Amino acid sequence: MELDLDELRALAGWTADCAARVLPLIPDDARPAAAIAAAREFAAGAPRTKALRTAAWGAQAAASGATNPAAAAAARAAVGAAGAAYLHPLESPHQVKHIVGPAQQAALARELAGDSAEAELEWALTHAPPEVRTLLNRFPPGKPGKTRLGALHRHLESALRTGS
């Protein structure tokens, strides 16, 4: 499978937008914001560099160190946004998590903060560019599991695949 930079840039832009919506849930840690900024730079045409990976690792450290579950989920959304530039061209169900992960983590963050996960999913779906839907449909169905996060994954993946 071939993945071109334009597809990866569209994915990174969308995932960064999804993650940025929950950044206010992490007010005291700049690392998730740096990861989102790095994803947006890549989406705008910057090359994939070590700085992008370093920003993702920083957001991962923020997620691991967060004491608030909503903040941890929001930081994981930022990790996924920065990592979107490195989606692997493997026909593997695991890769689907890299496509929908930032949006599902943002929805979980909203829910954990007492807001509506469904409203966050709807925002993600209405703002997904056609390239994301096309890209997702090149991969086999994901295997999200039976957790709440898995339910959010199933909703996103199904709606993105069908265009609904």
Side-chain angles (χ1 to χ4, degrees):
M1 171 187 309
E2 296 289 325
L3 300 177
D4 67 39
L5 280 178
D6 289 337
E7 291 173 312
L8 294 176
R9 289 183 198 292
L11 176 62
W14 176 67
T15 59
D17 290 345
C18 291
R21 290 177 49 81
V22 293
L23 256 176
L25 298 174
I26 323 165
D28 299 327
D29 196 324
R31 295 173 294 182
I36 292 168
R40 284 185 165 151
E41 287 174 16
F42 170 74
R48 288 184 293 193
T49 66
K50 183 180 178 190
L52 188 57
R53 286 183 189 261
T54 300
W57 285 117
Q60 179 61 44
S64 296
T67 57
N68 177 315
R76 284 191 298 274
V79 173
Y86 294 98
L87 178 68
H88 296 297
L90 305 171
E91 293 182 27
S92 162
H94 177 75
Q95 295 307 308
V96 174
K97 289 180 182 179
H98 296 300
I99 297 170
V100 301
Q104 82 185 51
Q105 288 287 348
L108 181 64
R110 284 279 183 219
E111 183 171 275
L112 291 169
D115 296 323
S116 170
E118 286 70 26
E120 199 63 30
L121 293 176
E122 283 307 307
W123 186 94
L125 290 167
T126 59
H127 289 84
E131 296 90 343
V132 170
R133 294 173 190 274
T134 300
L135 182 62
L136 177 62
N137 280 311
R138 293 172 56 201
F139 288 88
K143 296 183 179 179
K146 298 181 184 197
T147 64
R148 177 61 178 147
L149 196 56
L152 297 171
H153 174 120
R154 279 189 294 285
H155 179 96
L156 271 166
E157 182 180 355
S158 175
L160 285 168
R161 286 188 187 276
T162 62
S164 58

